[in-house]
Amino acid sequence: MTTNAELAARFEEFADLLEADDVEYKPRAYRRAAENILAHPSPIADQLEAGNEAAVENIDGVGDAISSKIVEYVETGEIEELEELREELPVDMAALTRVEGVGPKTVGSLYRELEIRDLDDLETAAEAGEIQEVKGFGPKTEQNILENVEFARTIGQRQLLGEARPLADDVLEFLESIDAVEQAEVAGSIRRWRETIGDVDALAAADSGSEAIEAFLEWDSIDDEIEFGPEKASVRVGDVRVDLRVVVPAEFGSALQYFTGSKDHNVRLRNYAIERNMKLNEYGAFDVSDIDDPDAGQRVGERVAGETEAGMYEALGLPWIPPELREDRGEIDAAAADDLPDLITRSDVRGDLHTHTEWSDGNNTIAEMVEAAADRGYDYYAVADHAQGPGVVGGMGLSDAEILEQVEEIREVGAGADIEVLAGIESNIDADGEIGLGDEVIDALDVVVASPHSALDQDSAAAAKRLERAIENPAVDVIGHPSGRLLNEREGLAIDATALGAAAAEHGTALEVNSNLRRLDLWGSAVQAALEEGATIAINTDAHQPATLEYVRWGVHTARRGWAEPDDVINTWDIEKLREFLH
Ligand code: DGT
Ligand code: CA
Ligand code: CA
Ligand code: ZN
């Protein structure tokens, strides 16, 4: 079945190819459609198959033209216009644009001038000094390409969490609908909410494995069967591999514990068990104190647990450990000391502090965004459009005068809204740590999010200095996407989360977990390190349209991977406490 992620990828490619051809406006419309398709809560192909084309046209940014292309793709697996563009520009666009500093337009010129089609061509041309000879390029660009081509080769193999998780939810729903299946759960990295996913693992409990497998293979979303047997099946759905294992109900808990991983967590847990004369594996927890050779087989000694996952931990005297924590970063010691964090949940979040509107590069009005936030039950909401600065898309940032004008409109909308509306800005942190806002503007605003958008190839010492200056700036409330990384696209600044966290704690500045599925910045281990220094965080979506406010889901689970409790997160606080912090 065509997944939303796959559809979105086609429209992104469409936009890239048009941009490479120097077409105006259309690329932006296609990217906007792609964003909304990706953020759409249910599979669009399902709606089409149910004959509901109107539902597709109702998606923001999807009009007649785009919806007919969606229909064409779902029905034929191709979009003719896209195929034509691909023929005109036969390049590996995805791979080439993964090179930092190479965008679709660059790809277009390099193909026309030097017939560069892929990363190997690109590297060869750069090594031969041919690129600096092309109009608009220079020795510096060429050097940059050479430095970044290797990184581009290593990324892009893994799916983004935000792309794979909706599919995992569908897998689970289908498994639960199978009569032979008593219980089902996802496992592996997707259950741990890792920011990128190698494959989707799923587990089902059934008395008859072959019956369950047979029923699973009937799922109409499956594009390819990779392999299958009486207890497992591997299939491809869209671009994602799904591994299903079926076990007997008595072993569901032990299998779930084992296949959730991480491998490092499992190794440490197994050693913890051995020290206590226990043996742990996918078949159960076994008391082996009376056994001469515990390695003689898989099922030796007295079986004390395995039906439930909590029972597996309980057999070792431990509380159940949430999957997000299972990365071998101290969670077993914390569990043993009964000191596991009381993790934040989605319902703790009371508002979003970093979002955009059409005043800069967002797609909707202030009023529309505020209404969407109110519909989510938020207590407060901050509009934080881009201020002028380097790295801000297409010169769309606001000048100081425009910010003051916008603040007035934000106040007006706020006066008529059921929730508290805060006037914010997202300013750029330049290479030296300056944020470039005038005093009058700073006084007029409730929230200043400052984020790095440019000069992201600084060395770690310069990056540390830069971020620290922004953290120390009394005008700055939140450091947005602190590293500036884009998953599968660019590494961003090499940050030291411990040092960052210490500075943030000292100056009362929050660090952001940017929930956009391409960012997840900060990420789990960085959040954990910053919180250990006493820092606070803000979970923000950076939404540019109402649908992507839903990305808070990725942010919350990322913060959980960083051991965040509700009180660590400023946007779980009530408005009075939040205002005090922002003041
Ligand atoms: P991924 O798919 O690369 O995003 O990462 P995972 O963690 O989902 O890894 P995957 O799919 O290879 O295996 C799923 C889980 O199965 C893994 O998290 C832990 C468990 N597992 C797999 N192989 C081993 C192993 O050799 N030793 C141990 N202890 N556990 C393993
Ligand atoms: Ca996996
Ligand atoms: Ca797997
Ligand atoms: Zn932003």
Side-chain angles (χ1 to χ4, degrees):
M1 183 198 66
T2 312
T3 58
N4 291 350
E6 187 183 347
L7 268 174
R10 291 301 95 83
F11 284 99
E12 285 284 357
E13 185 188 352
F14 223 130
D16 285 349
L17 289 168
L18 291 167
E19 214 175 308
D21 261 353
D22 288 324
V23 176
E24 290 191 67
Y25 307 118
K26 238 178 164 180
R28 210 171 115 79
Y30 282 24
R31 286 193 211 288
R32 178 173 173 222
E35 281 274 301
N36 281 309
I37 289 167
L38 192 56
H40 196 68
S42 59
I44 291 171
D46 275 1
Q47 277 162 0
L48 287 177
E49 266 150 38
N52 193 0
E53 281 187 34
V56 176
E57 280 180 36
N58 277 338
I59 299 169
D60 264 348
V62 176
D64 287 356
I66 291 177
S67 86
S68 68
K69 289 188 176 67
I70 294 177
V71 173
E72 183 185 351
Y73 188 76
V74 171
E75 282 175 359
T76 68
E78 274 185 8
I79 302 169
E80 205 182 315
E81 234 184 288
L82 178 62
E83 294 301 317
E84 284 164 13
L85 287 169
R86 281 174 171 173
E87 266 173 47
E88 280 168 34
L89 194 68
V91 298
D92 188 346
M93 180 66 84
L96 288 168
T97 50
R98 255 180 240 131
V99 180
E100 170 96 64
V102 175
K105 279 186 200 290
T106 317
V107 172
S109 334
L110 290 177
Y111 177 73
R112 288 188 292 267
E113 299 293 326
L114 300 171
E115 277 193 45
I116 288 171
R117 292 166 186 256
D118 55 26
L119 290 176
D120 289 343
D121 292 351
L122 183 71
E123 190 170 31
T124 311
E127 278 168 351
E130 289 169 5
I131 290 178
Q132 54 175 297
E133 303 299 329
V134 177
K135 194 169 163 261
F137 295 77
K140 189 157 182 276
T141 317
E142 190 172 77
Q143 190 54 35
N144 264 340
I145 288 175
L146 275 175
E147 279 166 17
N148 289 307
V149 79
E150 206 41 58
F151 177 70
R153 279 205 180 91
T154 64
I155 56 178
Q157 322 293 339
R158 298 174 63 84
Q159 292 281 320
L160 303 184
L161 171 68
E163 296 172 341
R165 183 70 210 202
L167 167 64
D169 294 338
D170 290 347
V171 170
L172 199 51
E173 195 185 296
F174 184 75
L175 287 173
E176 282 168 347
S177 77
I178 296 175
D179 281 342
V181 170
E182 282 193 15
Q183 209 180 340
E185 189 48 274
V186 291
S189 52
I190 200 107
R191 185 163 179 244
R192 304 194 314 278
W193 300 81
R194 206 180 140 179
E195 62 264 38
T196 63
I197 303 294
D199 63 8
V200 168
D201 300 286
L203 189 69
D207 289 318
S208 163
S210 51
E211 232 175 274
I213 295 286
E214 216 169 282
F216 175 67
L217 292 175
E218 293 293 311
W219 192 29
D220 55 15
S221 292
I222 295 173
D223 290 306
D224 265 327
E225 288 168 8
I226 300 166
E227 57 189 340
F228 64 90
E231 288 151 11
K232 53 183 172 184
S234 291
V235 302
R236 186 180 63 78
V237 182
D239 300 327
V240 184
R241 178 187 168 114
V242 179
D243 277 353
L244 169 68
R245 285 184 189 74
V246 184
V247 300
V248 293
E251 290 176 356
F252 185 73
S254 45
L256 182 59
Q257 196 289 316
Y258 178 84
F259 289 112
T260 296
S262 67
K263 207 170 153 184
D264 291 344
H265 171 86
N266 285 353
V267 167
R268 189 167 300 267
L269 193 69
R270 218 177 310 135
N271 289 334
Y272 187 90
I274 290 167
E275 286 162 16
R276 284 156 186 80
N277 284 318
M278 298 280 290
K279 182 185 170 81
L280 220 61
N281 57 33
E282 57 184 290
Y283 309 106
F286 304 86
D287 182 338
V288 290
S289 27
D290 298 331
I291 303 290
D292 293 335
D293 182 9
D295 296 328
Q298 298 281 19
R299 295 170 171 98
V300 293
E302 187 197 348
R303 188 173 190 268
V304 295
E307 193 163 348
T308 68
E309 191 183 54
M312 293 292 286
Y313 288 95
E314 200 188 323
L316 302 174
L318 298 175
W320 180 80
I321 300 177
E324 292 96 327
L325 300 183
R326 300 184 198 171
E327 298 292 347
D328 190 25
R329 292 199 306 254
E331 69 277 10
I332 294 171
D333 287 346
D338 200 19
D339 200 18
L340 284 173
D342 187 4
L343 295 178
I344 181 173
T345 63
R346 172 82 177 256
S347 57
D348 294 318
V349 176
R350 298 197 191 197
D352 203 323
L353 302 176
H354 174 184
T355 66
H356 297 268
T357 72
E358 62 183 17
W359 278 73
S360 67
D361 59 346
N363 291 304
N364 296 75
T365 63
I366 296 171
E368 284 165 352
M369 294 303 283
V370 167
E371 192 190 331
D375 286 348
R376 286 180 174 266
Y378 282 158
D379 295 345
Y380 46 81
Y381 183 78
V383 171
D385 272 309
H386 291 285
Q388 280 174 351
V392 172
V393 229
M396 287 199 202
L398 306 179
S399 67
D400 278 13
E402 288 167 325
I403 295 171
L404 292 174
E405 213 182 298
Q406 193 198 20
V407 170
E408 270 181 40
E409 189 182 323
I410 293 173
R411 299 291 177 221
E412 242 167 68
V413 172
D418 298 333
I419 61 174
E420 296 272 345
V421 182
L422 303 175
I425 199 73
E426 179 183 20
S427 72
N428 182 51
I429 304 173
D430 77 7
D432 303 319
E434 294 295 328
I435 64 160
L437 293 177
D439 289 342
E440 197 189 343
V441 163
I442 290 168
D443 284 345
L445 291 166
D446 302 313
V447 192
V448 173
V449 178
S451 342
H453 292 98
S454 55
L456 297 172
D457 50 4
Q458 275 178 324
D459 63 43
S460 54
K465 228 171 111 190
R466 167 196 200 166
L467 292 173
E468 209 158 308
R469 278 204 70 191
I471 287 170
E472 285 165 11
N473 187 331
V476 174
D477 302 303
V478 178
I479 302 294
H481 49 72
S483 83
R485 77 168 180 182
L486 290 177
L487 292 166
N488 287 352
E489 287 173 49
R490 70 176 184 222
E491 283 173 293
L493 299 170
I495 61 162
D496 172 350
T498 300
L500 216 58
E506 188 189 336
H507 296 281
T509 305
L511 301 173
E512 184 176 76
V513 171
N514 188 295
S515 311
N516 186 286
L517 78 179
R518 293 193 177 82
R519 292 192 183 271
L520 297 179
D521 176 16
L522 297 175
W523 49 92
S525 58
V527 169
Q528 187 182 12
L531 290 181
E532 272 168 18
E533 299 302 313
T536 50
I537 61 168
I539 301 174
N540 296 327
T541 63
D542 202 350
H544 286 64
Q545 59 260 91
T548 45
L549 290 173
E550 178 60 21
Y551 286 171
V552 63
R553 186 182 187 200
W554 319 130
V556 165
H557 284 284
T558 299
R560 287 168 63 91
R561 285 174 61 77
W563 296 50
E565 301 189 327
D567 213 39
D568 297 323
V569 181
I570 63 169
N571 51 319
T572 68
W573 299 350
D574 64 35
I575 185 70
E576 287 77 26
K577 188 172 173 192
L578 177 69
R579 276 194 193 279
E580 215 167 288
F581 176 89
L582 298 174
H583 191 64

